[in-house]
Amino acid sequence: MVSVPDAIPVHSLPKTPSQVPALRIFRFKNSQDFQREPLVPLPITPLPTDTPHRHTYYEILFIEEGQGYHEIDFHSYNIQGAGLHFLTPGQVHLLTFSSYFQGYIVAFSEDFYTFYNPVNPSLSQLPFFQPARRQPIITLDAAEKKYFHNIMENMVSDHLSTATDQTLIGKYLGVLLQKCSYLIQKNEQPAESAAHTVPELVGRFQELVEKNFRQMHEVQQYAHELSVSPDYLSKIIKKFLGTPSQEYILDKLLLEAKRLLVFTNLSSKEIAYHIHLDDPSYFSRIFKKKTGLTPNEYRDHVRKSTI
């Protein structure tokens, strides 16, 4: 029987003396050995990637070669060759390798990105990080693979140099993300692109929910933070995200509950308290209403197929 922990492992970027949070670049654990200049090699990620875990930071996986599966919040993505994979803080994921992987893992905080790219769109406005339309995978053709390989080779070279100004690394990250956003927009039909254009208010609401859904459950709380009326906020969210704002918040709560049910041994009551629902029976009722299963039934059903 597989041992299940009492908490999902959470990985954080190491602390540094710098006032600006650092960016880190790693190789995959089963990368083929290679040498580069300067002679200090790029480190292999020190963290376990083949068991469910989450991060406090954003992550970009640039896969040049490899086969396997990437599981992100109960969705399985087949890996066949070159592509970019995007992860936001709090998502639970794991990698399953069926061949060696060649490429890079770029880990960075929101503060790092915004500090060096103050005029760029916020991370939650980018299609691969935007909660309502998150597209976590971009498949790359040969020309696109070469483009990102060149960016990463230069970024890694400067990253390993002790003399490099961090401003340069921050700008590399901004260019990389801008190019990724362009590729997605290029492949969208004009009608799709227009439909996905959302007001700044919607993006700010999504950001607030991502960061505060455990503690803030009411639309009124978010409306107060955004300096709008609850009715106006609900109308805008329904129009552009297709779901009532209260349902949007609830969906975030239940996704976190699902993660904890599947990947930890916390009881249903403990999970309810973890997401600040003080009435465990209410938690069980809304969970069954949304999923058709009680929390324990959901745990048993999903574990039989995933663990």
Side-chain angles (χ1 to χ4, degrees), residues 287-298:
F287 191 94
K288 183 167 185 177
K289 181 179 179 180
K290 293 286 287 186
T291 67
L293 300 171
T294 67
N296 287 335
E297 287 171 343
Y298 181 87

Side-chain angles (χ1 to χ4, degrees), residues 153-202:
E153 283 289 297
N154 288 315
M155 188 174 179
V156 167
S157 178
D158 286 324
H159 176 66
L160 292 175
S161 172
T162 56
T164 298
D165 185 342
Q166 283 295 294
T167 301
L168 183 59
I169 306 301
K171 295 301 183 183
Y172 273 125
L173 177 63
V175 169
L176 191 154
L177 291 175
Q178 281 183 294
K179 181 65 174 181
C180 293
S181 185
Y182 167 77
L183 287 180
I184 287 180
Q185 292 171 3
K186 183 186 72 170
N187 293 327
E188 283 182 339
Q189 298 298 321
E192 292 176 334
S193 181
H196 286 148
T197 302
V198 298
E200 181 184 357
L201 175 64
V202 176

